PDB file of all heavy atoms in Angstrom:
ATOM      1  N   ILE A 129       9.100   5.293  -9.733  1.00 96.00           N
ATOM      2  CA  ILE A 129       9.744   6.559 -10.193  1.00 96.00           C
ATOM      3  C   ILE A 129      10.760   7.060  -9.218  1.00 96.00           C
ATOM      4  O   ILE A 129      11.818   7.544  -9.621  1.00 96.00           O
ATOM      5  CB  ILE A 129       8.649   7.629 -10.441  1.00 96.00           C
ATOM      6  CG1 ILE A 129       7.712   7.179 -11.588  1.00 96.00           C
ATOM      7  CG2 ILE A 129       9.225   8.970 -10.741  1.00 96.00           C
ATOM      8  CD1 ILE A 129       6.500   8.066 -11.710  1.00 96.00           C
ATOM      9  N   ASN A 130      10.447   6.944  -7.922  1.00 95.00           N
ATOM     10  CA  ASN A 130      11.314   7.498  -6.882  1.00 95.00           C
ATOM     11  C   ASN A 130      12.599   6.738  -6.701  1.00 95.00           C
ATOM     12  O   ASN A 130      13.617   7.250  -6.128  1.00 95.00           O
ATOM     13  CB  ASN A 130      10.580   7.545  -5.545  1.00 95.00           C
ATOM     14  CG  ASN A 130       9.479   8.593  -5.526  1.00 95.00           C
ATOM     15  OD1 ASN A 130       9.475   9.461  -6.421  1.00 95.00           O
ATOM     16  ND2 ASN A 130       8.593   8.487  -4.583  1.00 95.00           N
ATOM     17  N   ASP A 131      12.619   5.462  -7.138  1.00 96.00           N
ATOM     18  CA  ASP A 131      13.807   4.596  -6.961  1.00 96.00           C
ATOM     19  C   ASP A 131      14.653   4.568  -8.210  1.00 96.00           C
ATOM     20  O   ASP A 131      14.334   3.884  -9.153  1.00 96.00           O
ATOM     21  CB  ASP A 131      13.371   3.203  -6.535  1.00 96.00           C
ATOM     22  CG  ASP A 131      14.514   2.270  -6.159  1.00 96.00           C
ATOM     23  OD1 ASP A 131      15.689   2.758  -6.257  1.00 96.00           O
ATOM     24  OD2 ASP A 131      14.318   1.134  -5.803  1.00 96.00           O
ATOM     25  N   SER A 132      15.748   5.341  -8.200  1.00 94.00           N
ATOM     26  CA  SER A 132      16.620   5.415  -9.384  1.00 94.00           C
ATOM     27  C   SER A 132      17.353   4.119  -9.644  1.00 94.00           C
ATOM     28  O   SER A 132      17.911   3.843 -10.700  1.00 94.00           O
ATOM     29  CB  SER A 132      17.677   6.542  -9.217  1.00 94.00           C
ATOM     30  OG  SER A 132      18.421   6.350  -8.079  1.00 94.00           O
ATOM     31  N   ASP A 133      17.379   3.222  -8.634  1.00 95.00           N
ATOM     32  CA  ASP A 133      18.052   1.948  -8.696  1.00 95.00           C
ATOM     33  C   ASP A 133      17.050   0.765  -8.884  1.00 95.00           C
ATOM     34  O   ASP A 133      17.404  -0.415  -8.721  1.00 95.00           O
ATOM     35  CB  ASP A 133      18.855   1.643  -7.479  1.00 95.00           C
ATOM     36  CG  ASP A 133      19.991   2.664  -7.280  1.00 95.00           C
ATOM     37  OD1 ASP A 133      20.585   3.061  -8.326  1.00 95.00           O
ATOM     38  OD2 ASP A 133      20.226   3.116  -6.140  1.00 95.00           O
ATOM     39  N   ALA A 134      15.796   1.104  -9.251  1.00 96.00           N
ATOM     40  CA  ALA A 134      14.789   0.062  -9.406  1.00 96.00           C
ATOM     41  C   ALA A 134      15.244  -0.969 -10.464  1.00 96.00           C
ATOM     42  O   ALA A 134      15.790  -0.638 -11.509  1.00 96.00           O
ATOM     43  CB  ALA A 134      13.478   0.653  -9.835  1.00 96.00           C
ATOM     44  N   GLN A 135      15.052  -2.261 -10.130  1.00 96.00           N
ATOM     45  CA  GLN A 135      15.401  -3.344 -11.022  1.00 96.00           C
ATOM     46  C   GLN A 135      14.183  -3.704 -11.887  1.00 96.00           C
ATOM     47  O   GLN A 135      13.054  -3.620 -11.436  1.00 96.00           O
ATOM     48  CB  GLN A 135      15.856  -4.578 -10.257  1.00 96.00           C
ATOM     49  CG  GLN A 135      17.027  -4.330  -9.323  1.00 96.00           C
ATOM     50  CD  GLN A 135      18.253  -3.933 -10.094  1.00 96.00           C
ATOM     51  OE1 GLN A 135      18.684  -4.590 -11.028  1.00 96.00           O
ATOM     52  NE2 GLN A 135      18.851  -2.787  -9.704  1.00 96.00           N
ATOM     53  N   PHE A 136      14.460  -4.110 -13.151  1.00 98.00           N
ATOM     54  CA  PHE A 136      13.349  -4.329 -14.091  1.00 98.00           C
ATOM     55  C   PHE A 136      13.666  -5.629 -14.888  1.00 98.00           C
ATOM     56  O   PHE A 136      14.804  -5.896 -15.305  1.00 98.00           O
ATOM     57  CB  PHE A 136      13.193  -3.139 -15.001  1.00 98.00           C
ATOM     58  CG  PHE A 136      12.183  -3.448 -16.132  1.00 98.00           C
ATOM     59  CD1 PHE A 136      10.832  -3.383 -15.938  1.00 98.00           C
ATOM     60  CD2 PHE A 136      12.635  -3.684 -17.459  1.00 98.00           C
ATOM     61  CE1 PHE A 136       9.944  -3.573 -16.944  1.00 98.00           C
ATOM     62  CE2 PHE A 136      11.723  -3.882 -18.475  1.00 98.00           C
ATOM     63  CZ  PHE A 136      10.348  -3.849 -18.197  1.00 98.00           C
ATOM     64  N   LYS A 137      12.629  -6.458 -15.085  1.00 97.00           N
ATOM     65  CA  LYS A 137      12.739  -7.567 -15.939  1.00 97.00           C
ATOM     66  C   LYS A 137      11.393  -7.897 -16.544  1.00 97.00           C
ATOM     67  O   LYS A 137      10.332  -7.369 -16.070  1.00 97.00           O
ATOM     68  CB  LYS A 137      13.284  -8.801 -15.205  1.00 97.00           C
ATOM     69  CG  LYS A 137      12.349  -9.372 -14.172  1.00 97.00           C
ATOM     70  CD  LYS A 137      12.960 -10.631 -13.478  1.00 97.00           C
ATOM     71  CE  LYS A 137      12.025 -11.194 -12.479  1.00 97.00           C
ATOM     72  NZ  LYS A 137      12.560 -12.401 -11.793  1.00 97.00           N
ATOM     73  N   THR A 138      11.359  -8.738 -17.576  1.00 96.00           N
ATOM     74  CA  THR A 138      10.108  -9.173 -18.171  1.00 96.00           C
ATOM     75  C   THR A 138      10.050 -10.704 -18.133  1.00 96.00           C
ATOM     76  O   THR A 138      11.050 -11.382 -18.142  1.00 96.00           O
ATOM     77  CB  THR A 138       9.951  -8.707 -19.611  1.00 96.00           C
ATOM     78  OG1 THR A 138      10.995  -9.316 -20.392  1.00 96.00           O
ATOM     79  CG2 THR A 138      10.068  -7.196 -19.682  1.00 96.00           C
ATOM     80  N   THR A 139       8.818 -11.222 -17.973  1.00 96.00           N
ATOM     81  CA  THR A 139       8.558 -12.638 -18.124  1.00 96.00           C
ATOM     82  C   THR A 139       7.582 -12.784 -19.274  1.00 96.00           C
ATOM     83  O   THR A 139       7.265 -11.806 -19.987  1.00 96.00           O
ATOM     84  CB  THR A 139       7.955 -13.194 -16.823  1.00 96.00           C
ATOM     85  OG1 THR A 139       6.668 -12.650 -16.627  1.00 96.00           O
ATOM     86  CG2 THR A 139       8.840 -12.877 -15.615  1.00 96.00           C
ATOM     87  N   GLU A 140       7.081 -13.979 -19.467  1.00 95.00           N
ATOM     88  CA  GLU A 140       6.161 -14.180 -20.552  1.00 95.00           C
ATOM     89  C   GLU A 140       4.945 -13.313 -20.444  1.00 95.00           C
ATOM     90  O   GLU A 140       4.399 -12.810 -21.430  1.00 95.00           O
ATOM     91  CB  GLU A 140       5.745 -15.662 -20.630  1.00 95.00           C
ATOM     92  CG  GLU A 140       4.824 -16.013 -21.797  1.00 95.00           C
ATOM     93  CD  GLU A 140       4.469 -17.467 -21.845  1.00 95.00           C
ATOM     94  OE1 GLU A 140       5.077 -18.241 -21.037  1.00 95.00           O
ATOM     95  OE2 GLU A 140       3.641 -17.862 -22.672  1.00 95.00           O
ATOM     96  N   ASN A 141       4.431 -13.106 -19.225  1.00 96.00           N
ATOM     97  CA  ASN A 141       3.148 -12.401 -19.039  1.00 96.00           C
ATOM     98  C   ASN A 141       3.249 -11.097 -18.296  1.00 96.00           C
ATOM     99  O   ASN A 141       2.294 -10.311 -18.277  1.00 96.00           O
ATOM    100  CB  ASN A 141       2.158 -13.315 -18.336  1.00 96.00           C
ATOM    101  CG  ASN A 141       1.837 -14.575 -19.106  1.00 96.00           C
ATOM    102  OD1 ASN A 141       1.556 -14.506 -20.277  1.00 96.00           O
ATOM    103  ND2 ASN A 141       1.882 -15.709 -18.430  1.00 96.00           N
ATOM    104  N   TYR A 142       4.429 -10.810 -17.669  1.00 97.00           N
ATOM    105  CA  TYR A 142       4.460  -9.691 -16.722  1.00 97.00           C
ATOM    106  C   TYR A 142       5.669  -8.783 -16.932  1.00 97.00           C
ATOM    107  O   TYR A 142       6.787  -9.256 -17.362  1.00 97.00           O
ATOM    108  CB  TYR A 142       4.477 -10.209 -15.257  1.00 97.00           C
ATOM    109  CG  TYR A 142       3.376 -11.159 -14.954  1.00 97.00           C
ATOM    110  CD1 TYR A 142       3.662 -12.463 -14.544  1.00 97.00           C
ATOM    111  CD2 TYR A 142       2.031 -10.766 -15.074  1.00 97.00           C
ATOM    112  CE1 TYR A 142       2.656 -13.366 -14.274  1.00 97.00           C
ATOM    113  CE2 TYR A 142       1.012 -11.676 -14.746  1.00 97.00           C
ATOM    114  CZ  TYR A 142       1.334 -12.958 -14.377  1.00 97.00           C
ATOM    115  OH  TYR A 142       0.326 -13.805 -14.037  1.00 97.00           O
ATOM    116  N   PHE A 143       5.494  -7.495 -16.628  1.00 98.00           N
ATOM    117  CA  PHE A 143       6.609  -6.582 -16.391  1.00 98.00           C
ATOM    118  C   PHE A 143       6.860  -6.627 -14.876  1.00 98.00           C
ATOM    119  O   PHE A 143       5.901  -6.476 -14.102  1.00 98.00           O
ATOM    120  CB  PHE A 143       6.265  -5.151 -16.793  1.00 98.00           C
ATOM    121  CG  PHE A 143       5.981  -5.024 -18.288  1.00 98.00           C
ATOM    122  CD1 PHE A 143       4.752  -4.580 -18.691  1.00 98.00           C
ATOM    123  CD2 PHE A 143       6.910  -5.347 -19.240  1.00 98.00           C
ATOM    124  CE1 PHE A 143       4.425  -4.411 -20.055  1.00 98.00           C
ATOM    125  CE2 PHE A 143       6.640  -5.206 -20.608  1.00 98.00           C
ATOM    126  CZ  PHE A 143       5.386  -4.779 -20.989  1.00 98.00           C
ATOM    127  N   VAL A 144       8.108  -6.792 -14.448  1.00 98.00           N
ATOM    128  CA  VAL A 144       8.390  -6.986 -13.044  1.00 98.00           C
ATOM    129  C   VAL A 144       9.387  -5.924 -12.571  1.00 98.00           C
ATOM    130  O   VAL A 144      10.464  -5.760 -13.184  1.00 98.00           O
ATOM    131  CB  VAL A 144       8.957  -8.395 -12.776  1.00 98.00           C
ATOM    132  CG1 VAL A 144       9.146  -8.575 -11.256  1.00 98.00           C
ATOM    133  CG2 VAL A 144       8.052  -9.467 -13.310  1.00 98.00           C
ATOM    134  N   PHE A 145       9.038  -5.203 -11.512  1.00 98.00           N
ATOM    135  CA  PHE A 145       9.905  -4.211 -10.909  1.00 98.00           C
ATOM    136  C   PHE A 145      10.244  -4.620  -9.481  1.00 98.00           C
ATOM    137  O   PHE A 145       9.410  -5.066  -8.730  1.00 98.00           O
ATOM    138  CB  PHE A 145       9.255  -2.841 -10.860  1.00 98.00           C
ATOM    139  CG  PHE A 145       9.087  -2.173 -12.198  1.00 98.00           C
ATOM    140  CD1 PHE A 145       7.910  -2.437 -12.961  1.00 98.00           C
ATOM    141  CD2 PHE A 145      10.033  -1.281 -12.675  1.00 98.00           C
ATOM    142  CE1 PHE A 145       7.758  -1.790 -14.165  1.00 98.00           C
ATOM    143  CE2 PHE A 145       9.856  -0.643 -13.916  1.00 98.00           C
ATOM    144  CZ  PHE A 145       8.694  -0.909 -14.659  1.00 98.00           C
ATOM    145  N   GLU A 146      11.503  -4.448  -9.089  1.00 98.00           N
ATOM    146  CA  GLU A 146      11.888  -4.530  -7.669  1.00 98.00           C
ATOM    147  C   GLU A 146      12.357  -3.151  -7.232  1.00 98.00           C
ATOM    148  O   GLU A 146      13.277  -2.580  -7.846  1.00 98.00           O
ATOM    149  CB  GLU A 146      12.973  -5.546  -7.423  1.00 98.00           C
ATOM    150  CG  GLU A 146      13.250  -5.730  -5.968  1.00 98.00           C
ATOM    151  CD  GLU A 146      14.287  -6.775  -5.646  1.00 98.00           C
ATOM    152  OE1 GLU A 146      14.199  -7.901  -6.226  1.00 98.00           O
ATOM    153  OE2 GLU A 146      15.230  -6.487  -4.857  1.00 98.00           O
ATOM    154  N   THR A 147      11.692  -2.601  -6.220  1.00 97.00           N
ATOM    155  CA  THR A 147      11.960  -1.206  -5.812  1.00 97.00           C
ATOM    156  C   THR A 147      12.152  -1.139  -4.273  1.00 97.00           C
ATOM    157  O   THR A 147      11.751  -2.099  -3.551  1.00 97.00           O
ATOM    158  CB  THR A 147      10.905  -0.231  -6.201  1.00 97.00           C
ATOM    159  OG1 THR A 147       9.763  -0.352  -5.281  1.00 97.00           O
ATOM    160  CG2 THR A 147      10.375  -0.478  -7.623  1.00 97.00           C
ATOM    161  N   LYS A 148      12.653  -0.009  -3.823  1.00 96.00           N
ATOM    162  CA  LYS A 148      12.639   0.315  -2.410  1.00 96.00           C
ATOM    163  C   LYS A 148      11.246   0.806  -2.035  1.00 96.00           C
ATOM    164  O   LYS A 148      10.500   1.308  -2.865  1.00 96.00           O
ATOM    165  CB  LYS A 148      13.681   1.409  -2.068  1.00 96.00           C
ATOM    166  CG  LYS A 148      15.085   1.070  -2.382  1.00 96.00           C
ATOM    167  CD  LYS A 148      16.007   2.178  -1.945  1.00 96.00           C
ATOM    168  CE  LYS A 148      17.430   1.930  -2.322  1.00 96.00           C
ATOM    169  NZ  LYS A 148      17.700   2.099  -3.782  1.00 96.00           N
ATOM    170  N   THR A 149      10.875   0.640  -0.750  1.00 95.00           N
ATOM    171  CA  THR A 149       9.637   1.165  -0.285  1.00 95.00           C
ATOM    172  C   THR A 149       9.888   2.475   0.482  1.00 95.00           C
ATOM    173  O   THR A 149      11.009   2.810   0.733  1.00 95.00           O
ATOM    174  CB  THR A 149       8.902   0.194   0.666  1.00 95.00           C
ATOM    175  OG1 THR A 149       9.734  -0.057   1.787  1.00 95.00           O
ATOM    176  CG2 THR A 149       8.643  -1.142  -0.043  1.00 95.00           C
ATOM    177  N   SER A 150       8.813   3.112   0.887  1.00 90.00           N
ATOM    178  CA  SER A 150       8.938   4.376   1.688  1.00 90.00           C
ATOM    179  C   SER A 150       7.980   4.299   2.854  1.00 90.00           C
ATOM    180  O   SER A 150       7.106   5.171   3.010  1.00 90.00           O
ATOM    181  CB  SER A 150       8.605   5.589   0.809  1.00 90.00           C
ATOM    182  OG  SER A 150       7.325   5.482   0.265  1.00 90.00           O
ATOM    183  N   TYR A 151       8.152   3.271   3.711  1.00 84.00           N
ATOM    184  CA  TYR A 151       7.323   3.147   4.903  1.00 84.00           C
ATOM    185  C   TYR A 151       8.000   4.021   5.997  1.00 84.00           C
ATOM    186  O   TYR A 151       9.026   3.669   6.503  1.00 84.00           O
ATOM    187  CB  TYR A 151       7.192   1.720   5.363  1.00 84.00           C
ATOM    188  CG  TYR A 151       6.402   0.877   4.441  1.00 84.00           C
ATOM    189  CD1 TYR A 151       6.998  -0.042   3.629  1.00 84.00           C
ATOM    190  CD2 TYR A 151       5.021   1.033   4.375  1.00 84.00           C
ATOM    191  CE1 TYR A 151       6.254  -0.862   2.774  1.00 84.00           C
ATOM    192  CE2 TYR A 151       4.258   0.292   3.516  1.00 84.00           C
ATOM    193  CZ  TYR A 151       4.856  -0.658   2.692  1.00 84.00           C
ATOM    194  OH  TYR A 151       4.132  -1.400   1.834  1.00 84.00           O
ATOM    195  N   GLU A 152       7.307   5.105   6.358  1.00 72.00           N
ATOM    196  CA  GLU A 152       7.855   6.075   7.258  1.00 72.00           C
ATOM    197  C   GLU A 152       8.151   5.470   8.666  1.00 72.00           C
ATOM    198  O   GLU A 152       9.141   5.776   9.320  1.00 72.00           O
ATOM    199  CB  GLU A 152       6.934   7.265   7.444  1.00 72.00           C
ATOM    200  CG  GLU A 152       7.423   8.366   8.387  1.00 72.00           C
ATOM    201  CD  GLU A 152       6.425   9.471   8.534  1.00 72.00           C
ATOM    202  OE1 GLU A 152       5.353   9.404   7.886  1.00 72.00           O
ATOM    203  OE2 GLU A 152       6.686  10.423   9.321  1.00 72.00           O
ATOM    204  N   ASN A 153       7.265   4.552   9.117  1.00 68.00           N
ATOM    205  CA  ASN A 153       7.383   3.998  10.455  1.00 68.00           C
ATOM    206  C   ASN A 153       7.690   2.535  10.489  1.00 68.00           C
ATOM    207  O   ASN A 153       7.455   1.886  11.523  1.00 68.00           O
ATOM    208  CB  ASN A 153       6.083   4.282  11.235  1.00 68.00           C
ATOM    209  CG  ASN A 153       5.727   5.753  11.226  1.00 68.00           C
ATOM    210  OD1 ASN A 153       6.562   6.554  11.618  1.00 68.00           O
ATOM    211  ND2 ASN A 153       4.522   6.090  10.805  1.00 68.00           N
ATOM    212  N   ASN A 154       8.183   2.008   9.410  1.00 70.00           N
ATOM    213  CA  ASN A 154       8.500   0.562   9.361  1.00 70.00           C
ATOM    214  C   ASN A 154       9.672   0.254   8.444  1.00 70.00           C
ATOM    215  O   ASN A 154       9.470   0.083   7.239  1.00 70.00           O
ATOM    216  CB  ASN A 154       7.284  -0.277   8.937  1.00 70.00           C
ATOM    217  CG  ASN A 154       7.479  -1.734   9.111  1.00 70.00           C
ATOM    218  OD1 ASN A 154       8.505  -2.180   9.556  1.00 70.00           O
ATOM    219  ND2 ASN A 154       6.456  -2.519   8.804  1.00 70.00           N
ATOM    220  N   SER A 155      10.847   0.302   9.008  1.00 76.00           N
ATOM    221  CA  SER A 155      12.069   0.012   8.207  1.00 76.00           C
ATOM    222  C   SER A 155      12.295  -1.491   8.025  1.00 76.00           C
ATOM    223  O   SER A 155      13.281  -1.873   7.373  1.00 76.00           O
ATOM    224  CB  SER A 155      13.280   0.630   8.882  1.00 76.00           C
ATOM    225  OG  SER A 155      13.492   0.115  10.183  1.00 76.00           O
ATOM    226  N   ASN A 156      11.411  -2.311   8.552  1.00 84.00           N
ATOM    227  CA  ASN A 156      11.535  -3.771   8.458  1.00 84.00           C
ATOM    228  C   ASN A 156      11.070  -4.313   7.108  1.00 84.00           C
ATOM    229  O   ASN A 156      11.232  -5.487   6.794  1.00 84.00           O
ATOM    230  CB  ASN A 156      10.824  -4.454   9.589  1.00 84.00           C
ATOM    231  CG  ASN A 156      11.355  -4.133  10.949  1.00 84.00           C
ATOM    232  OD1 ASN A 156      12.583  -4.051  11.059  1.00 84.00           O
ATOM    233  ND2 ASN A 156      10.494  -4.029  11.937  1.00 84.00           N
ATOM    234  N   LEU A 157      10.442  -3.440   6.326  1.00 91.00           N
ATOM    235  CA  LEU A 157       9.955  -3.831   4.984  1.00 91.00           C
ATOM    236  C   LEU A 157      10.508  -2.881   3.958  1.00 91.00           C
ATOM    237  O   LEU A 157       9.783  -2.062   3.362  1.00 91.00           O
ATOM    238  CB  LEU A 157       8.400  -3.796   4.993  1.00 91.00           C
ATOM    239  CG  LEU A 157       7.690  -4.744   5.944  1.00 91.00           C
ATOM    240  CD1 LEU A 157       6.216  -4.436   5.964  1.00 91.00           C
ATOM    241  CD2 LEU A 157       7.957  -6.205   5.543  1.00 91.00           C
ATOM    242  N   PRO A 158      11.791  -2.982   3.594  1.00 94.00           N
ATOM    243  CA  PRO A 158      12.435  -1.969   2.739  1.00 94.00           C
ATOM    244  C   PRO A 158      12.294  -2.223   1.221  1.00 94.00           C
ATOM    245  O   PRO A 158      12.616  -1.374   0.443  1.00 94.00           O
ATOM    246  CB  PRO A 158      13.890  -2.071   3.123  1.00 94.00           C
ATOM    247  CG  PRO A 158      14.081  -3.499   3.602  1.00 94.00           C
ATOM    248  CD  PRO A 158      12.792  -3.937   4.202  1.00 94.00           C
ATOM    249  N   PHE A 159      11.832  -3.453   0.836  1.00 96.00           N
ATOM    250  CA  PHE A 159      11.821  -3.787  -0.601  1.00 96.00           C
ATOM    251  C   PHE A 159      10.404  -4.315  -1.015  1.00 96.00           C
ATOM    252  O   PHE A 159       9.679  -4.825  -0.161  1.00 96.00           O
ATOM    253  CB  PHE A 159      12.886  -4.835  -0.963  1.00 96.00           C
ATOM    254  CG  PHE A 159      14.259  -4.523  -0.539  1.00 96.00           C
ATOM    255  CD1 PHE A 159      14.875  -5.184   0.537  1.00 96.00           C
ATOM    256  CD2 PHE A 159      14.947  -3.489  -1.140  1.00 96.00           C
ATOM    257  CE1 PHE A 159      16.146  -4.837   0.941  1.00 96.00           C
ATOM    258  CE2 PHE A 159      16.248  -3.179  -0.712  1.00 96.00           C
ATOM    259  CZ  PHE A 159      16.859  -3.872   0.315  1.00 96.00           C
ATOM    260  N   GLN A 160      10.161  -4.201  -2.302  1.00 97.00           N
ATOM    261  CA  GLN A 160       8.934  -4.776  -2.864  1.00 97.00           C
ATOM    262  C   GLN A 160       9.177  -5.193  -4.301  1.00 97.00           C
ATOM    263  O   GLN A 160       9.974  -4.609  -4.997  1.00 97.00           O
ATOM    264  CB  GLN A 160       7.754  -3.807  -2.795  1.00 97.00           C
ATOM    265  CG  GLN A 160       7.948  -2.542  -3.608  1.00 97.00           C
ATOM    266  CD  GLN A 160       6.845  -1.536  -3.401  1.00 97.00           C
ATOM    267  OE1 GLN A 160       5.782  -1.807  -2.871  1.00 97.00           O
ATOM    268  NE2 GLN A 160       7.078  -0.304  -3.786  1.00 97.00           N
ATOM    269  N   THR A 161       8.437  -6.240  -4.675  1.00 98.00           N
ATOM    270  CA  THR A 161       8.438  -6.678  -6.095  1.00 98.00           C
ATOM    271  C   THR A 161       7.066  -6.487  -6.615  1.00 98.00           C
ATOM    272  O   THR A 161       6.095  -6.954  -5.998  1.00 98.00           O
ATOM    273  CB  THR A 161       8.877  -8.116  -6.229  1.00 98.00           C
ATOM    274  OG1 THR A 161      10.191  -8.291  -5.651  1.00 98.00           O
ATOM    275  CG2 THR A 161       8.963  -8.590  -7.671  1.00 98.00           C
ATOM    276  N   ILE A 162       6.914  -5.821  -7.796  1.00 98.00           N
ATOM    277  CA  ILE A 162       5.619  -5.505  -8.325  1.00 98.00           C
ATOM    278  C   ILE A 162       5.471  -6.137  -9.703  1.00 98.00           C
ATOM    279  O   ILE A 162       6.391  -5.943 -10.576  1.00 98.00           O
ATOM    280  CB  ILE A 162       5.441  -3.964  -8.472  1.00 98.00           C
ATOM    281  CG1 ILE A 162       5.842  -3.277  -7.118  1.00 98.00           C
ATOM    282  CG2 ILE A 162       4.018  -3.620  -8.870  1.00 98.00           C
ATOM    283  CD1 ILE A 162       6.041  -1.781  -7.290  1.00 98.00           C
ATOM    284  N   TYR A 163       4.439  -6.823  -9.930  1.00 98.00           N
ATOM    285  CA  TYR A 163       4.111  -7.463 -11.221  1.00 98.00           C
ATOM    286  C   TYR A 163       2.957  -6.745 -11.885  1.00 98.00           C
ATOM    287  O   TYR A 163       1.903  -6.577 -11.321  1.00 98.00           O
ATOM    288  CB  TYR A 163       3.751  -8.980 -11.004  1.00 98.00           C
ATOM    289  CG  TYR A 163       4.842  -9.807 -10.464  1.00 98.00           C
ATOM    290  CD1 TYR A 163       5.193  -9.794  -9.108  1.00 98.00           C
ATOM    291  CD2 TYR A 163       5.534 -10.710 -11.274  1.00 98.00           C
ATOM    292  CE1 TYR A 163       6.171 -10.613  -8.581  1.00 98.00           C
ATOM    293  CE2 TYR A 163       6.515 -11.547 -10.762  1.00 98.00           C
ATOM    294  CZ  TYR A 163       6.819 -11.468  -9.449  1.00 98.00           C
ATOM    295  OH  TYR A 163       7.831 -12.255  -8.935  1.00 98.00           O
ATOM    296  N   PHE A 164       3.206  -6.335 -13.154  1.00 98.00           N
ATOM    297  CA  PHE A 164       2.150  -5.695 -13.975  1.00 98.00           C
ATOM    298  C   PHE A 164       1.818  -6.570 -15.159  1.00 98.00           C
ATOM    299  O   PHE A 164       2.728  -7.161 -15.770  1.00 98.00           O
ATOM    300  CB  PHE A 164       2.604  -4.326 -14.477  1.00 98.00           C
ATOM    301  CG  PHE A 164       2.739  -3.259 -13.467  1.00 98.00           C
ATOM    302  CD1 PHE A 164       4.019  -3.065 -12.900  1.00 98.00           C
ATOM    303  CD2 PHE A 164       1.682  -2.541 -12.967  1.00 98.00           C
ATOM    304  CE1 PHE A 164       4.189  -2.022 -11.948  1.00 98.00           C
ATOM    305  CE2 PHE A 164       1.867  -1.547 -11.972  1.00 98.00           C
ATOM    306  CZ  PHE A 164       3.109  -1.331 -11.492  1.00 98.00           C
ATOM    307  N   ASP A 165       0.567  -6.690 -15.515  1.00 98.00           N
ATOM    308  CA  ASP A 165       0.133  -7.443 -16.668  1.00 98.00           C
ATOM    309  C   ASP A 165       0.669  -6.752 -17.920  1.00 98.00           C
ATOM    310  O   ASP A 165       0.547  -5.539 -18.115  1.00 98.00           O
ATOM    311  CB  ASP A 165      -1.410  -7.492 -16.709  1.00 98.00           C
ATOM    312  CG  ASP A 165      -1.907  -8.391 -17.817  1.00 98.00           C
ATOM    313  OD1 ASP A 165      -2.016  -7.846 -18.969  1.00 98.00           O
ATOM    314  OD2 ASP A 165      -2.218  -9.559 -17.590  1.00 98.00           O
TER     315      ASP A 165
END
Side-chain angles (χ1 to χ4, degrees):
I129 295 170
N130 290 344
D131 186 358
S132 58
D133 298 320
Q135 302 297 307
F136 174 77
K137 67 178 182 180
T138 64
T139 67
E140 183 178 352
N141 298 312
Y142 307 118
F143 298 120
V144 185
F145 290 87
E146 184 177 315
T147 78
K148 299 183 184 74
T149 62
S150 58
Y151 292 108
E152 181 182 358
N153 303 308
N154 190 358
S155 60
N156 296 324
L157 297 171
F159 306 110
Q160 63 186 344
T161 303
I162 310 165
Y163 295 76
F164 293 96
D165 185 276

